[in-house]
Amino acid sequence: MQDALAFMPMFDIGPLTNIALALAPANVYQHDTYYLIAHFHYLVAPGTIFALFAATYYWFPKATGRMMNEFWGKIHFWPTLILMNVIFFPMFLQGMLGMHRRWYDGGQGHSVAGEKAWGVSGFGWNVPISTAAWLMGLAQIPFIVNFLWSLKHGRKVTSDNPWDATTLEWATPTPPPHGNFTEPINVYRGPYDYSVRGAERDFCPQTEAVAAH
């Protein structure tokens, strides 16, 4: 759940910070700086990575018949979220200092060498960025261990639909056999219909018929 929730604001930072680049005065100054690197990578890194983690935790019980450990999932999530922002957010500051992304020193040997943001020079921000990148790599160890350990020792699911989901894949046995479905199924509604009139529960799978009232 936390990975899915983190995906949305992290992904949105990318396009929202691009608004500044649509203004000619700002774009002239920030073009080809680290501001552009930060804007782009908030889309392709935090956004996609958290979506992949969320998908792994979500479909793991369907694919394996076991749940991943929630405690270690949180141990993996919070350092990853914090460190990912420590990596990419300072790049906005570097860009606003005029640090160029295509020069080996970012232009710090020229006119912007003495400029600072939050007391740190543009080139100086590379130190916390690099440190956070290494630490975030280490923060993935709990996820890898959790994934491998849960394959054999994770808590077994007691239902084919442990998340109370509505989509069709949860109508297959867990884990799915060859061919997925063991018998033909009927689809009665769209995949994301919740609080269906006449249903006894808040969620109503696509394959579940509901009597009209």
Side-chain angles (χ1 to χ4, degrees):
M1 175 64 76
Q2 62 263 20
D3 291 279
L5 292 176
F7 156 77
M8 293 183 284
M10 296 288 280
F11 184 85
D12 288 342
I13 289 173
L16 289 175
T17 53
N18 192 40
I19 295 174
L21 299 179
L23 304 174
N27 188 48
V28 168
Y29 180 76
Q30 294 171 350
H31 178 71
D32 251 358
T33 68
Y34 269 74
Y35 186 97
L36 187 63
I37 297 294
H39 140 71
F40 177 74
H41 281 81
Y42 259 101
L43 284 171
V44 301
T48 55
I49 289 173
F50 279 115
L52 288 171
F53 284 144
T56 301
Y57 285 111
Y58 182 68
W59 277 297
F60 188 88
K62 173 53 66 176
T64 66
R66 296 179 181 271
M67 302 289 287
M68 292 183 70
N69 186 277
E70 183 177 353
F71 172 79
W72 287 107
K74 293 178 180 179
I75 294 296
H76 162 248
F77 168 75
W78 286 109
T80 300
L81 176 65
I82 294 169
L83 291 168
M84 196 168 290
N85 280 284
V86 175
I87 292 171
F88 295 109
F89 182 80
M91 293 181 184
F92 287 120
L93 304 178
Q94 291 177 313
M96 287 186 280
L97 289 174
M99 187 167 170
H100 204 281
R101 66 176 178 142
R102 298 189 186 276
W103 300 343
Y104 80 96
D105 68 347
Q108 296 304 288
H110 301 284
S111 60
V112 297
E115 300 291 333
K116 292 184 178 181
W118 297 358
V120 182
S121 68
F123 207 63
W125 276 111
N126 281 350
V127 175
I129 288 173
S130 299
T131 302
W134 283 104
L135 290 176
M136 196 184 77
L138 295 176
Q140 305 317 300
I141 294 176
F143 174 80
I144 296 171
V145 173
N146 188 9
F147 184 93
L148 296 176
W149 184 87
S150 298
L151 286 173
K152 287 189 176 181
H153 305 289
R155 177 171 56 86
K156 291 185 177 181
V157 297
T158 58
S159 167
D160 289 334
N161 189 358
W163 305 120
D164 289 348
T166 62
T167 46
L168 294 179
E169 71 271 25
W170 301 99
T172 66
T174 303
H178 178 71
N180 295 326
F181 297 97
T182 56
E183 59 185 20
I185 61 172
N186 295 316
V187 179
Y188 295 95
R189 64 189 60 80
Y192 307 114
D193 288 353
Y194 288 85
S195 299
V196 176
R197 181 175 298 180
E200 297 180 355
R201 297 163 295 177
D202 183 56
F203 82 99
C204 191
Q206 289 181 269
T207 56
E208 185 176 299
V210 176
H213 289 279

